[in-house]
Amino acid sequence: MERKWWTLLGVCVATFMLLLDVTIVNVALPSIERELHAGLTKLQWVIDAYTLVLSALILSAGALADRVGRRLVFSLGVGAFTVASLLCGFAPNATLLDVARGLQGIGGAAMFATSLALIGQEFRGREFGTAIAAWGATVGAAVAAGPLIGGVLTEGLGWEWIFFVNVPVGAVALALALRGMHEFRDPDARGLDPGGLITFSTAFGLLVFGLLRGNAEGWDSALILGSLVGSVVLLAAFVAIERRQERPMLDLSLFRRPAFVGVSFGTLAIGAGMFSILLFVSIYFQDVLDYSPFKAGLRFLPLTLLIFIVPIVTRGLAGRVPPRVMLGGGLALVGLGLLLMHGLERGSGWTALLPGMIAAGVGIGLANPAIGTTALGVVEPNRSGMASGFSNTCRLGGVTIGVAALGAIFENRIDAKLAELVPHVPPGLGTSVAARGTNGVPARFAGAAREAFVAGFNEILLVGSATVLVGSVAVLLLIRARDFVSAREPAAAPAEA
């Protein structure tokens, strides 16, 4: 097999592993809580520590890879992620588990930031379309398959194995990287831009922290307001620093290219409007309809399989259909799917979501490869690491924004519905229903809790649909053929054969 196909396989294996860890942990949280005697705050950080570090470091890792070598950064990321996964599995308490999850985020950022760039430097023409389709299928399948795989491992082997399974997978990805990948760097790079690296990573980290913890801490609390204000100040400092750089880590002139703005907004929209919804679907399946983690995961399969299959089946369209049509059409289908899911009633079963899941699965399958093609296509090949890092920052940033915003809308709607249905609502009942469905709700409130949950779920489905449809319109209006860089040649001669 040619070396470039080993590169694709290594990138896809690593991407699947790191994105799986965004969602796989959710189903294991009850087991972690029992075995490690973890309080609510530490339990939340099992998820938040990984998401926070991963989101904050992706762009910096991508820019760093263009300077010091994409294979080097990718390989170090795989190694760090694998070791951190081992530490997670052996963690004796929740504090050390949270620390190890943060270390996983560092490795994940290095892998995710370089994934598209490694593909872009190896493939051209129709083969590039095939490679991007495979990567897009991997991204969507990893996000959607987390509940199923998490359920299988947690029920069959224990929560530790959601982390231990990464060790052999990481070893395979590292072997593929060392065997099959060429080393590429930007020959025009000028130093490491430490000011840009520090200000952006800290600013985005504060933003993600504020969004993740806003609902729990209170949006008007000093901690959250300080985080969000600090983020704005540091982002302004980052812009000032980058304007004076000869070779900035993020080329701000790209924001004058409508196609770059369009694909970035579309990526944010699908993360905020669709992928963030999967968390609430998982709660609905397990904590309202009372399915086990494994059975809940099985009900994600119509969505998961389509996300995986559609990019492969439609890869031949990439060279004939403009990216804005593929991406805009895919987002429109996702928006339609969320609308079809809307309209749940108190007695609805999971099949009420099935038509919408099918439409959304096809839409995601069309959109994911188009995001990759466009993100790489509108920048010079030498800066593919930066483009890959920024695109994936938008993807995960969108999910974070979506979970925070939809979570607030969800909880507010539940509180309002409970106040309508129950004369004297017990304190904290709305928060409990939002987080755990009808689990743990006193029997006399169970019916009202289910109705309130469904009302909140219907509302965020509408908001998610509107978000994705706005993204679709933006993509169709902004992405233009003339903004694409025509040549896709390697950034430099490979450092080694």
Side-chain angles (χ1 to χ4, degrees), residues 124-171:
R124 303 291 176 269
R126 290 188 62 184
E127 289 184 342
F128 177 70
T130 300
I132 288 292
W135 179 84
T138 301
V139 168
V143 173
L148 174 60
I149 297 175
V152 171
L153 293 174
T154 301
E155 291 183 20
L157 298 172
W159 67 265
E160 298 91 345
W161 283 91
I162 66 174
F163 301 114
F164 286 151
V165 74
N166 291 331
V167 176
V169 176

Side-chain angles (χ1 to χ4, degrees), residues 207-219:
L207 174 63
V208 172
F209 174 81
L211 293 173
L212 286 173
R213 301 297 301 167
N215 287 335
E217 303 290 342
W219 291 101

